[in-house]
Amino acid sequence: MKFDVLTLFPEMFEILNQSIIGKAKEKELININLINIRDFSKDKHKKVDDTPYGGGAGMVIRPDVVYEAYKSIPNIENAKVIYMSPQGNILNQKKVEDLSKNKHLVILCGHYEGIDQRVLDKIVDEEISIGDYVLTGGEIPAMVLIDSVSRYVEGVLNQESVKEESFSNGLLEYPQYTRPEIFEGEKVPEILLSGHHQNIEKWRNDKSLEITKNKRPDLLKNNK
Ligand code: 4GY
């Protein structure tokens, strides 16, 4: 799976060289290509933004610079272009799974007061939000999207974990335990030591349902 990221801050994405996503990049299971929007400025000072028409605080990213950066992406006609913004469709596990069906995603990151609306109207296929709060830029949301979607790419996770875990059945995850068997006087639930796989599976399913009812009853109505 290929991700092209259009950003003014490509250095922020170095976090993705760590851990599971870093390994997936090394194995070329995913390819994250960072495109610095500033490289497409024709200005002698590499300026990419300007003051908003109509007045007001802050700076707006120019449409022409973003459009040039966008046009530099090979095979762009077969890609889905996403703009990270609080105005977008909320990212949830269903949306993540749907996005993982794409071979090529282009993620546009805004900053400052945002990007000139005209280029957004021209190039964006879907606006996506990671939640109802405002960040300083779309870079962290882009990383959230890349991380969550990459987990669905074959080979990125070791085992069966994708299907088995939280949300795959629309429910929250059951509790996990490991050694020691007794921690500060608290024993591991007996059933998990029984070796009786059917009983263990039933216990885990019951726990998932109980936890979901208590912590996130809304999940029992919505989504998948
Ligand atoms: N929430 N979900 C989000 C965000 C920052 C100015 C437009 C969010 O996705 N993106 O808060 N983005 C703003 C910064 C330009 C995006």
Side-chain angles (χ1 to χ4, degrees), residues 103-134:
K103 285 201 181 103
H104 186 187
L105 293 177
V106 173
I107 310 174
L108 175 58
C109 305
H111 228 90
Y112 315 115
E113 300 313 307
I115 299 175
D116 185 292
Q117 188 62 40
R118 292 167 295 178
V119 73
L120 298 179
D121 292 343
K122 201 170 179 66
I123 72 173
V124 173
D125 295 311
E126 185 175 4
E127 214 166 325
I128 295 181
S129 168
I130 65 161
D132 293 338
Y133 38 81
V134 184

Side-chain angles (χ1 to χ4, degrees), residues 60-73:
V60 177
I61 302 172
R62 291 171 56 111
D64 51 351
V65 185
V66 171
Y67 194 51
E68 289 303 317
Y70 161 85
K71 285 191 295 183
S72 79
I73 298 171

Side-chain angles (χ1 to χ4, degrees), residues 99-179:
L99 289 172
S100 75
K101 311 276 198 282
N102 292 278
K103 285 201 181 103
H104 186 187
L105 293 177
V106 173
I107 310 174
L108 175 58
C109 305
H111 228 90
Y112 315 115
E113 300 313 307
I115 299 175
D116 185 292
Q117 188 62 40
R118 292 167 295 178
V119 73
L120 298 179
D121 292 343
K122 201 170 179 66
I123 72 173
V124 173
D125 295 311
E126 185 175 4
E127 214 166 325
I128 295 181
S129 168
I130 65 161
D132 293 338
Y133 38 81
V134 184
L135 302 168
T136 56
E139 283 77 11
I140 291 172
M143 288 187 259
V144 168
L145 190 149
I146 291 168
D147 185 289
S148 57
V149 168
S150 294
R151 294 177 67 265
Y152 282 89
V153 174
E154 188 73 34
V156 170
L157 298 186
N158 299 326
Q159 325 123 11
E160 290 274 292
S161 8
V162 200
K163 287 168 200 160
E164 255 182 55
E165 86 206 325
S166 270
F167 289 119
S168 52
N169 49 7
L171 299 179
L172 298 177
E173 181 68 288
Y174 50 78
Q176 299 279 15
Y177 299 88
T178 187
R179 277 175 278 280

